[in-house]
Amino acid sequence: MADDDLAAAAATGLHILEGSIRRIKLSVASNEEILKAQPVDALGKPFPITQCSQLQDNPSLGLPLQVGSFESCGATQIDKCEGHFGFIELPAPIYHPSHVAELGKILNIICLCCLRLKKPNKGTGKERKFTSCSYCHDIPPLCVTQVKKSNGARSLELKAPLKEVVGDGFWSFLDQFGFHTRRTCHRRPLHPKEVQNVMRKISECYKQFGVACAHSTG
């Protein structure tokens, strides 16, 4: 309480109890708290994001803006806005730019057919990065690599050695994760939702059995 407030309280005969702060607890916002803080429209409903253009110059999503003010607090300049928590539900999952490399490392040690751990490749040169599964003998050695697009976005793709014959149905073992492709190319893009399903299945396996497990793909 400010000195002026203390003086005013004393003048009115109020007794102000003194105290001290003994503990402050800081924590990460829960999922429920984040959802409550998401941007809403004029009707109080969550603001839907269905295309990239909606993320630019949108008064519901914060500063800077070319015209107008931020709808949450009315600020028109960044230094006048105290900051706000928010949550935007995108129409489809995207790769987190800081996690792509780690995701690639995880997927490279897991067989994407049976979800068991793959054995390390003791070869040399470029072939060393291609690893195979001890259980799925019909699946050739594969490698997950990071791809950087012209706009700076990063993604993952699955590669097969150039010496392998890639025919129709070569990538069919990935259908179990929700995406089917008829590509007959040595490179197979991995959709973020597809990778999300892979990680979810791996997590379910470890929770159930304590180790990586096999899924029937027949």
Side-chain angles (χ1 to χ4, degrees), residues 106-152:
I106 294 173
L107 296 177
N108 263 323
I109 63 174
I110 298 291
C111 173
L112 296 182
C113 180
C114 69
L115 301 185
R116 289 186 173 100
L117 292 174
K118 295 195 295 184
K119 61 181 180 181
N121 191 339
K122 298 181 180 180
T124 58
K126 294 183 179 180
E127 295 297 322
R128 185 176 182 180
K129 61 184 179 180
F130 292 94
T131 53
S132 58
C133 177
S134 301
Y135 302 92
C136 303
H137 301 291
D138 55 335
I139 304 295
L142 300 172
C143 173
V144 176
T145 60
Q146 186 178 166
V147 179
K148 185 176 181 180
K149 300 181 180 179
S150 58
N151 61 359

mmCIF file of all heavy atoms in Angstrom, residues 106-152:
data_model
loop_
_atom_site.group_PDB
_atom_site.id
_atom_site.type_symbol
_atom_site.label_atom_id
_atom_site.label_comp_id
_atom_site.label_asym_id
_atom_site.label_seq_id
_atom_site.Cartn_x
_atom_site.Cartn_y
_atom_site.Cartn_z
ATOM 1 N N ILE A 106 14.577 -39.062 -33.074
ATOM 2 C CA ILE A 106 13.733 -40.095 -32.463
ATOM 3 C C ILE A 106 13.211 -41.058 -33.518
ATOM 4 O O ILE A 106 13.271 -42.285 -33.361
ATOM 5 C CB ILE A 106 12.559 -39.445 -31.706
ATOM 6 C CG1 ILE A 106 13.073 -38.647 -30.505
ATOM 7 C CG2 ILE A 106 11.556 -40.505 -31.243
ATOM 8 C CD1 ILE A 106 12.007 -37.840 -29.800
ATOM 9 N N LEU A 107 12.703 -40.502 -34.620
ATOM 10 C CA LEU A 107 12.122 -41.347 -35.668
ATOM 11 C C LEU A 107 13.171 -42.199 -36.364
ATOM 12 O O LEU A 107 12.849 -43.252 -36.920
ATOM 13 C CB LEU A 107 11.392 -40.471 -36.688
ATOM 14 C CG LEU A 107 10.174 -39.706 -36.152
ATOM 15 C CD1 LEU A 107 9.588 -38.815 -37.236
ATOM 16 C CD2 LEU A 107 9.110 -40.664 -35.628
ATOM 17 N N ASN A 108 14.416 -41.769 -36.332
ATOM 18 C CA ASN A 108 15.477 -42.535 -36.986
ATOM 19 C C ASN A 108 15.876 -43.782 -36.209
ATOM 20 O O ASN A 108 16.511 -44.680 -36.767
ATOM 21 C CB ASN A 108 16.711 -41.654 -37.210
ATOM 22 C CG ASN A 108 16.745 -41.075 -38.606
ATOM 23 O OD1 ASN A 108 16.362 -41.736 -39.572
ATOM 24 N ND2 ASN A 108 17.193 -39.845 -38.730
ATOM 25 N N ILE A 109 15.533 -43.862 -34.938
ATOM 26 C CA ILE A 109 15.879 -45.056 -34.159
ATOM 27 C C ILE A 109 14.671 -45.964 -33.951
ATOM 28 O O ILE A 109 14.776 -46.994 -33.289
ATOM 29 C CB ILE A 109 16.485 -44.676 -32.789
ATOM 30 C CG1 ILE A 109 15.470 -43.922 -31.933
ATOM 31 C CG2 ILE A 109 17.752 -43.860 -32.969
ATOM 32 C CD1 ILE A 109 15.952 -43.653 -30.511
ATOM 33 N N ILE A 110 13.518 -45.566 -34.516
ATOM 34 C CA ILE A 110 12.292 -46.351 -34.394
ATOM 35 C C ILE A 110 11.888 -46.895 -35.759
ATOM 36 O O ILE A 110 11.914 -46.175 -36.758
ATOM 37 C CB ILE A 110 11.137 -45.485 -33.829
ATOM 38 C CG1 ILE A 110 11.471 -44.984 -32.428
ATOM 39 C CG2 ILE A 110 9.825 -46.263 -33.818
ATOM 40 C CD1 ILE A 110 11.507 -46.060 -31.371
ATOM 41 N N CYS A 111 11.525 -48.156 -35.810
ATOM 42 C CA CYS A 111 10.991 -48.721 -37.049
ATOM 43 C C CYS A 111 9.571 -48.200 -37.231
ATOM 44 O O CYS A 111 8.716 -48.398 -36.359
ATOM 45 C CB CYS A 111 10.985 -50.248 -36.987
ATOM 46 S SG CYS A 111 10.147 -51.028 -38.397
ATOM 47 N N LEU A 112 9.296 -47.552 -38.335
ATOM 48 C CA LEU A 112 7.978 -46.972 -38.569
ATOM 49 C C LEU A 112 6.971 -47.997 -39.076
ATOM 50 O O LEU A 112 5.859 -47.633 -39.450
ATOM 51 C CB LEU A 112 8.087 -45.809 -39.560
ATOM 52 C CG LEU A 112 8.920 -44.623 -39.064
ATOM 53 C CD1 LEU A 112 8.935 -43.507 -40.089
ATOM 54 C CD2 LEU A 112 8.395 -44.117 -37.734
ATOM 55 N N CYS A 113 7.359 -49.256 -39.057
ATOM 56 C CA CYS A 113 6.424 -50.324 -39.395
ATOM 57 C C CYS A 113 5.917 -51.005 -38.125
ATOM 58 O O CYS A 113 4.721 -51.138 -37.921
ATOM 59 C CB CYS A 113 7.091 -51.335 -40.318
ATOM 60 S SG CYS A 113 6.008 -52.701 -40.813
ATOM 61 N N CYS A 114 6.844 -51.422 -37.245
ATOM 62 C CA CYS A 114 6.450 -52.148 -36.035
ATOM 63 C C CYS A 114 6.676 -51.351 -34.755
ATOM 64 O O CYS A 114 6.304 -51.798 -33.672
ATOM 65 C CB CYS A 114 7.198 -53.471 -35.952
ATOM 66 S SG CYS A 114 8.979 -53.297 -35.643
ATOM 67 N N LEU A 115 7.322 -50.195 -34.859
ATOM 68 C CA LEU A 115 7.601 -49.304 -33.727
ATOM 69 C C LEU A 115 8.620 -49.867 -32.741
ATOM 70 O O LEU A 115 8.707 -49.406 -31.605
ATOM 71 C CB LEU A 115 6.306 -48.921 -32.991
ATOM 72 C CG LEU A 115 5.245 -48.212 -33.828
ATOM 73 C CD1 LEU A 115 4.077 -47.790 -32.956
ATOM 74 C CD2 LEU A 115 5.832 -47.009 -34.545
ATOM 75 N N ARG A 116 9.388 -50.876 -33.164
ATOM 76 C CA ARG A 116 10.491 -51.357 -32.338
ATOM 77 C C ARG A 116 11.734 -50.509 -32.600
ATOM 78 O O ARG A 116 11.834 -49.824 -33.619
ATOM 79 C CB ARG A 116 10.803 -52.820 -32.653
ATOM 80 C CG ARG A 116 9.761 -53.832 -32.170
ATOM 81 C CD ARG A 116 10.296 -55.232 -32.418
ATOM 82 N NE ARG A 116 9.455 -56.274 -31.854
ATOM 83 C CZ ARG A 116 8.592 -56.994 -32.555
ATOM 84 N NH1 ARG A 116 8.440 -56.755 -33.853
ATOM 85 N NH2 ARG A 116 7.881 -57.941 -31.974
ATOM 86 N N LEU A 117 12.689 -50.592 -31.669
ATOM 87 C CA LEU A 117 13.955 -49.897 -31.860
ATOM 88 C C LEU A 117 14.746 -50.575 -32.971
ATOM 89 O O LEU A 117 14.817 -51.806 -33.033
ATOM 90 C CB LEU A 117 14.768 -49.902 -30.564
ATOM 91 C CG LEU A 117 14.205 -49.065 -29.410
ATOM 92 C CD1 LEU A 117 15.043 -49.299 -28.158
ATOM 93 C CD2 LEU A 117 14.205 -47.590 -29.767
ATOM 94 N N LYS A 118 15.359 -49.773 -33.828
ATOM 95 C CA LYS A 118 16.156 -50.320 -34.921
ATOM 96 C C LYS A 118 17.605 -50.505 -34.470
ATOM 97 O O LYS A 118 18.071 -49.845 -33.538
ATOM 98 C CB LYS A 118 16.104 -49.382 -36.131
ATOM 99 C CG LYS A 118 14.725 -49.262 -36.752
ATOM 100 C CD LYS A 118 14.779 -48.630 -38.129
ATOM 101 C CE LYS A 118 15.247 -47.205 -38.101
ATOM 102 N NZ LYS A 118 15.192 -46.572 -39.446
ATOM 103 N N LYS A 119 18.301 -51.376 -35.143
ATOM 104 C CA LYS A 119 19.706 -51.602 -34.816
ATOM 105 C C LYS A 119 20.568 -50.564 -35.521
ATOM 106 O O LYS A 119 20.275 -50.146 -36.642
ATOM 107 C CB LYS A 119 20.127 -53.009 -35.244
ATOM 108 C CG LYS A 119 19.992 -53.275 -36.739
ATOM 109 C CD LYS A 119 20.402 -54.697 -37.089
ATOM 110 C CE LYS A 119 20.269 -54.951 -38.595
ATOM 111 N NZ LYS A 119 20.654 -56.337 -38.946
ATOM 112 N N PRO A 120 21.649 -50.112 -34.874
ATOM 113 C CA PRO A 120 22.539 -49.121 -35.503
ATOM 114 C C PRO A 120 23.198 -49.690 -36.747
ATOM 115 O O PRO A 120 23.468 -50.891 -36.836
ATOM 116 C CB PRO A 120 23.575 -48.832 -34.411
ATOM 117 C CG PRO A 120 22.954 -49.311 -33.139
ATOM 118 C CD PRO A 120 22.064 -50.448 -33.507
ATOM 119 N N ASN A 121 23.459 -48.836 -37.697
ATOM 120 C CA ASN A 121 24.138 -49.242 -38.921
ATOM 121 C C ASN A 121 25.639 -49.062 -38.735
ATOM 122 O O ASN A 121 26.112 -47.970 -38.429
ATOM 123 C CB ASN A 121 23.645 -48.396 -40.101
ATOM 124 C CG ASN A 121 24.121 -48.943 -41.437
ATOM 125 O OD1 ASN A 121 25.091 -49.695 -41.510
ATOM 126 N ND2 ASN A 121 23.431 -48.569 -42.496
ATOM 127 N N LYS A 122 26.394 -50.135 -38.905
ATOM 128 C CA LYS A 122 27.841 -50.082 -38.710
ATOM 129 C C LYS A 122 28.591 -49.765 -40.000
ATOM 130 O O LYS A 122 29.818 -49.855 -40.055
ATOM 131 C CB LYS A 122 28.332 -51.416 -38.144
ATOM 132 C CG LYS A 122 27.744 -51.748 -36.773
ATOM 133 C CD LYS A 122 28.290 -53.061 -36.248
ATOM 134 C CE LYS A 122 27.702 -53.379 -34.877
ATOM 135 N NZ LYS A 122 28.217 -54.664 -34.338
ATOM 136 N N GLY A 123 27.846 -49.401 -41.029
ATOM 137 C CA GLY A 123 28.481 -49.091 -42.302
ATOM 138 C C GLY A 123 29.212 -47.762 -42.263
ATOM 139 O O GLY A 123 29.307 -47.094 -41.235
ATOM 140 N N THR A 124 29.712 -47.355 -43.400
ATOM 141 C CA THR A 124 30.448 -46.094 -43.506
ATOM 142 C C THR A 124 29.845 -45.237 -44.613
ATOM 143 O O THR A 124 29.077 -45.717 -45.449
ATOM 144 C CB THR A 124 31.930 -46.360 -43.822
ATOM 145 O OG1 THR A 124 32.019 -47.101 -45.051
ATOM 146 C CG2 THR A 124 32.588 -47.150 -42.700
ATOM 147 N N GLY A 125 30.205 -43.961 -44.603
ATOM 148 C CA GLY A 125 29.746 -43.057 -45.647
ATOM 149 C C GLY A 125 28.271 -42.727 -45.522
ATOM 150 O O GLY A 125 27.661 -42.825 -44.450
ATOM 151 N N LYS A 126 27.667 -42.362 -46.649
ATOM 152 C CA LYS A 126 26.267 -41.947 -46.663
ATOM 153 C C LYS A 126 25.316 -43.087 -46.293
ATOM 154 O O LYS A 126 24.227 -42.853 -45.782
ATOM 155 C CB LYS A 126 25.905 -41.398 -48.044
ATOM 156 C CG LYS A 126 26.631 -40.096 -48.393
ATOM 157 C CD LYS A 126 26.176 -39.576 -49.746
ATOM 158 C CE LYS A 126 26.874 -38.258 -50.079
ATOM 159 N NZ LYS A 126 26.444 -37.718 -51.399
ATOM 160 N N GLU A 127 25.724 -44.327 -46.568
ATOM 161 C CA GLU A 127 24.848 -45.460 -46.284
ATOM 162 C C GLU A 127 24.655 -45.681 -44.786
ATOM 163 O O GLU A 127 23.721 -46.352 -44.365
ATOM 164 C CB GLU A 127 25.431 -46.737 -46.913
ATOM 165 C CG GLU A 127 25.475 -46.711 -48.433
ATOM 166 C CD GLU A 127 24.083 -46.611 -49.039
ATOM 167 O OE1 GLU A 127 23.159 -47.238 -48.496
ATOM 168 O OE2 GLU A 127 23.922 -45.903 -50.046
ATOM 169 N N ARG A 128 25.540 -45.098 -43.962
ATOM 170 C CA ARG A 128 25.473 -45.328 -42.525
ATOM 171 C C ARG A 128 24.200 -44.761 -41.909
ATOM 172 O O ARG A 128 23.699 -45.269 -40.910
ATOM 173 C CB ARG A 128 26.703 -44.711 -41.853
ATOM 174 C CG ARG A 128 26.784 -44.999 -40.361
ATOM 175 C CD ARG A 128 28.055 -44.443 -39.767
ATOM 176 N NE ARG A 128 28.157 -44.765 -38.353
ATOM 177 C CZ ARG A 128 29.173 -44.402 -37.577
ATOM 178 N NH1 ARG A 128 30.169 -43.698 -38.086
ATOM 179 N NH2 ARG A 128 29.190 -44.731 -36.297
ATOM 180 N N LYS A 129 23.671 -43.688 -42.488
ATOM 181 C CA LYS A 129 22.482 -43.058 -41.915
ATOM 182 C C LYS A 129 21.214 -43.861 -42.176
ATOM 183 O O LYS A 129 20.183 -43.625 -41.547
ATOM 184 C CB LYS A 129 22.323 -41.643 -42.460
ATOM 185 C CG LYS A 129 22.141 -41.558 -43.962
ATOM 186 C CD LYS A 129 22.083 -40.105 -44.413
ATOM 187 C CE LYS A 129 21.918 -40.006 -45.931
ATOM 188 N NZ LYS A 129 21.871 -38.598 -46.381
ATOM 189 N N PHE A 130 21.260 -44.823 -43.098
ATOM 190 C CA PHE A 130 20.103 -45.672 -43.368
ATOM 191 C C PHE A 130 20.142 -46.875 -42.429
ATOM 192 O O PHE A 130 21.107 -47.640 -42.426
ATOM 193 C CB PHE A 130 20.106 -46.148 -44.823
ATOM 194 C CG PHE A 130 19.871 -45.049 -45.821
ATOM 195 C CD1 PHE A 130 20.937 -44.391 -46.408
ATOM 196 C CD2 PHE A 130 18.583 -44.665 -46.155
ATOM 197 C CE1 PHE A 130 20.723 -43.371 -47.320
ATOM 198 C CE2 PHE A 130 18.358 -43.647 -47.065
ATOM 199 C CZ PHE A 130 19.431 -43.000 -47.643
ATOM 200 N N THR A 131 19.104 -47.029 -41.609
ATOM 201 C CA THR A 131 19.062 -48.121 -40.638
ATOM 202 C C THR A 131 17.862 -49.016 -40.903
ATOM 203 O O THR A 131 16.837 -48.575 -41.425
ATOM 204 C CB THR A 131 18.981 -47.573 -39.205
ATOM 205 O OG1 THR A 131 17.884 -46.655 -39.110
ATOM 206 C CG2 THR A 131 20.265 -46.843 -38.834
ATOM 207 N N SER A 132 17.997 -50.279 -40.528
ATOM 208 C CA SER A 132 16.943 -51.257 -40.784
ATOM 209 C C SER A 132 16.433 -51.855 -39.481
ATOM 210 O O SER A 132 17.046 -51.704 -38.422
ATOM 211 C CB SER A 132 17.469 -52.370 -41.702
ATOM 212 O OG SER A 132 18.587 -53.004 -41.104
ATOM 213 N N CYS A 133 15.303 -52.541 -39.573
ATOM 214 C CA CYS A 133 14.679 -53.186 -38.420
ATOM 215 C C CYS A 133 15.000 -54.676 -38.435
ATOM 216 O O CYS A 133 14.945 -55.322 -39.485
ATOM 217 C CB CYS A 133 13.166 -52.965 -38.454
ATOM 218 S SG CYS A 133 12.271 -53.792 -37.118
ATOM 219 N N SER A 134 15.320 -55.221 -37.272
ATOM 220 C CA SER A 134 15.677 -56.639 -37.177
ATOM 221 C C SER A 134 14.466 -57.547 -37.349
ATOM 222 O O SER A 134 14.616 -58.755 -37.563
ATOM 223 C CB SER A 134 16.331 -56.923 -35.822
ATOM 224 O OG SER A 134 17.486 -56.141 -35.649
ATOM 225 N N TYR A 135 13.263 -56.979 -37.253
ATOM 226 C CA TYR A 135 12.041 -57.780 -37.302
ATOM 227 C C TYR A 135 11.303 -57.647 -38.634
ATOM 228 O O TYR A 135 10.659 -58.589 -39.077
ATOM 229 C CB TYR A 135 11.108 -57.374 -36.161
ATOM 230 C CG TYR A 135 11.733 -57.524 -34.791
ATOM 231 C CD1 TYR A 135 12.411 -56.462 -34.193
ATOM 232 C CD2 TYR A 135 11.665 -58.732 -34.101
ATOM 233 C CE1 TYR A 135 12.999 -56.598 -32.945
ATOM 234 C CE2 TYR A 135 12.249 -58.878 -32.851
ATOM 235 C CZ TYR A 135 12.915 -57.808 -32.279
ATOM 236 O OH TYR A 135 13.500 -57.943 -31.044
ATOM 237 N N CYS A 136 11.378 -56.476 -39.245
ATOM 238 C CA CYS A 136 10.653 -56.234 -40.500
ATOM 239 C C CYS A 136 11.614 -56.401 -41.676
ATOM 240 O O CYS A 136 12.169 -55.427 -42.194
ATOM 241 C CB CYS A 136 10.031 -54.837 -40.492
ATOM 242 S SG CYS A 136 8.909 -54.553 -39.106
ATOM 243 N N HIS A 137 11.816 -57.636 -42.086
ATOM 244 C CA HIS A 137 12.813 -57.927 -43.114
ATOM 245 C C HIS A 137 12.384 -57.461 -44.500
ATOM 246 O O HIS A 137 13.227 -57.340 -45.400
ATOM 247 C CB HIS A 137 13.102 -59.430 -43.135
ATOM 248 C CG HIS A 137 13.613 -59.958 -41.823
ATOM 249 N ND1 HIS A 137 14.854 -59.637 -41.325
ATOM 250 C CD2 HIS A 137 13.027 -60.767 -40.896
ATOM 251 C CE1 HIS A 137 15.034 -60.233 -40.150
ATOM 252 N NE2 HIS A 137 13.935 -60.917 -39.863
ATOM 253 N N ASP A 138 11.085 -57.210 -44.686
ATOM 254 C CA ASP A 138 10.627 -56.756 -45.995
ATOM 255 C C ASP A 138 10.712 -55.238 -46.142
ATOM 256 O O ASP A 138 10.408 -54.695 -47.207
ATOM 257 C CB ASP A 138 9.183 -57.208 -46.241
ATOM 258 C CG ASP A 138 8.242 -56.763 -45.130
ATOM 259 O OD1 ASP A 138 8.726 -56.539 -44.001
ATOM 260 O OD2 ASP A 138 7.029 -56.642 -45.390
ATOM 261 N N ILE A 139 11.124 -54.551 -45.062
ATOM 262 C CA ILE A 139 11.292 -53.097 -45.113
ATOM 263 C C ILE A 139 12.783 -52.789 -45.251
ATOM 264 O O ILE A 139 13.588 -53.194 -44.411
ATOM 265 C CB ILE A 139 10.744 -52.416 -43.842
ATOM 266 C CG1 ILE A 139 9.282 -52.792 -43.617
ATOM 267 C CG2 ILE A 139 10.907 -50.907 -43.934
ATOM 268 C CD1 ILE A 139 8.338 -52.305 -44.682
ATOM 269 N N PRO A 140 13.193 -52.090 -46.299
ATOM 270 C CA PRO A 140 14.622 -51.798 -46.497
ATOM 271 C C PRO A 140 15.119 -50.760 -45.489
ATOM 272 O O PRO A 140 14.325 -50.121 -44.798
ATOM 273 C CB PRO A 140 14.654 -51.238 -47.925
ATOM 274 C CG PRO A 140 13.313 -50.607 -48.099
ATOM 275 C CD PRO A 140 12.355 -51.496 -47.352
ATOM 276 N N PRO A 141 16.422 -50.576 -45.384
ATOM 277 C CA PRO A 141 16.958 -49.519 -44.517
ATOM 278 C C PRO A 141 16.413 -48.156 -44.944
ATOM 279 O O PRO A 141 16.357 -47.843 -46.131
ATOM 280 C CB PRO A 141 18.474 -49.609 -44.743
ATOM 281 C CG PRO A 141 18.700 -51.001 -45.208
ATOM 282 C CD PRO A 141 17.494 -51.358 -46.021
ATOM 283 N N LEU A 142 15.994 -47.361 -43.962
ATOM 284 C CA LEU A 142 15.406 -46.055 -44.243
ATOM 285 C C LEU A 142 16.066 -44.986 -43.387
ATOM 286 O O LEU A 142 16.759 -45.286 -42.411
ATOM 287 C CB LEU A 142 13.893 -46.082 -43.978
ATOM 288 C CG LEU A 142 13.066 -47.080 -44.791
ATOM 289 C CD1 LEU A 142 11.638 -47.130 -44.277
ATOM 290 C CD2 LEU A 142 13.086 -46.721 -46.269
ATOM 291 N N CYS A 143 15.808 -43.752 -43.734
ATOM 292 C CA CYS A 143 16.393 -42.627 -43.004
ATOM 293 C C CYS A 143 15.418 -41.456 -42.995
ATOM 294 O O CYS A 143 14.826 -41.122 -44.026
ATOM 295 C CB CYS A 143 17.704 -42.210 -43.664
ATOM 296 S SG CYS A 143 18.437 -40.710 -42.969
ATOM 297 N N VAL A 144 15.226 -40.848 -41.834
ATOM 298 C CA VAL A 144 14.399 -39.646 -41.707
ATOM 299 C C VAL A 144 15.325 -38.437 -41.745
ATOM 300 O O VAL A 144 16.274 -38.346 -40.960
ATOM 301 C CB VAL A 144 13.592 -39.652 -40.395
ATOM 302 C CG1 VAL A 144 12.812 -38.346 -40.244
ATOM 303 C CG2 VAL A 144 12.634 -40.842 -40.366
ATOM 304 N N THR A 145 15.068 -37.525 -42.656
ATOM 305 C CA THR A 145 15.912 -36.339 -42.792
ATOM 306 C C THR A 145 15.078 -35.070 -42.670
ATOM 307 O O THR A 145 13.868 -35.071 -42.886
ATOM 308 C CB THR A 145 16.637 -36.322 -44.150
ATOM 309 O OG1 THR A 145 15.668 -36.317 -45.208
ATOM 310 C CG2 THR A 145 17.525 -37.540 -44.296
ATOM 311 N N GLN A 146 15.758 -33.996 -42.330
ATOM 312 C CA GLN A 146 15.111 -32.695 -42.190
ATOM 313 C C GLN A 146 15.171 -31.947 -43.516
ATOM 314 O O GLN A 146 16.198 -31.951 -44.192
ATOM 315 C CB GLN A 146 15.811 -31.891 -41.089
ATOM 316 C CG GLN A 146 15.146 -30.579 -40.761
ATOM 317 C CD GLN A 146 15.842 -29.836 -39.631
ATOM 318 O OE1 GLN A 146 15.606 -28.658 -39.398
ATOM 319 N NE2 GLN A 146 16.722 -30.533 -38.906
ATOM 320 N N VAL A 147 14.070 -31.313 -43.871
ATOM 321 C CA VAL A 147 13.981 -30.567 -45.123
ATOM 322 C C VAL A 147 13.696 -29.106 -44.805
ATOM 323 O O VAL A 147 12.784 -28.802 -44.035
ATOM 324 C CB VAL A 147 12.865 -31.122 -46.033
ATOM 325 C CG1 VAL A 147 12.775 -30.310 -47.316
ATOM 326 C CG2 VAL A 147 13.111 -32.586 -46.346
ATOM 327 N N LYS A 148 14.474 -28.209 -45.378
ATOM 328 C CA LYS A 148 14.250 -26.776 -45.203
ATOM 329 C C LYS A 148 13.721 -26.195 -46.502
ATOM 330 O O LYS A 148 14.365 -26.279 -47.542
ATOM 331 C CB LYS A 148 15.545 -26.068 -44.799
ATOM 332 C CG LYS A 148 15.341 -24.596 -44.478
ATOM 333 C CD LYS A 148 16.619 -23.945 -43.987
ATOM 334 C CE LYS A 148 16.386 -22.476 -43.642
ATOM 335 N NZ LYS A 148 17.633 -21.826 -43.154
ATOM 336 N N LYS A 149 12.520 -25.616 -46.432
ATOM 337 C CA LYS A 149 11.879 -25.073 -47.621
ATOM 338 C C LYS A 149 12.355 -23.647 -47.893
ATOM 339 O O LYS A 149 13.017 -23.025 -47.064
ATOM 340 C CB LYS A 149 10.358 -25.115 -47.446
ATOM 341 C CG LYS A 149 9.820 -26.523 -47.226
ATOM 342 C CD LYS A 149 8.313 -26.531 -47.071
ATOM 343 C CE LYS A 149 7.797 -27.947 -46.849
ATOM 344 N NZ LYS A 149 6.322 -27.981 -46.673
ATOM 345 N N SER A 150 11.997 -23.132 -49.060
ATOM 346 C CA SER A 150 12.450 -21.806 -49.475
ATOM 347 C C SER A 150 11.939 -20.697 -48.557
ATOM 348 O O SER A 150 12.568 -19.649 -48.423
ATOM 349 C CB SER A 150 12.006 -21.528 -50.916
ATOM 350 O OG SER A 150 10.585 -21.625 -51.031
ATOM 351 N N ASN A 151 10.783 -20.925 -47.899
ATOM 352 C CA ASN A 151 10.228 -19.911 -46.997
ATOM 353 C C ASN A 151 10.762 -20.037 -45.570
ATOM 354 O O ASN A 151 10.307 -19.341 -44.666
ATOM 355 C CB ASN A 151 8.703 -19.990 -46.987
ATOM 356 C CG ASN A 151 8.186 -21.343 -46.504
ATOM 357 O OD1 ASN A 151 8.970 -22.242 -46.183
ATOM 358 N ND2 ASN A 151 6.872 -21.498 -46.467
ATOM 359 N N GLY A 152 11.720 -20.938 -45.361
ATOM 360 C CA GLY A 152 12.323 -21.105 -44.043
ATOM 361 C C GLY A 152 11.682 -22.185 -43.195
ATOM 362 O O GLY A 152 12.225 -22.560 -42.153
#
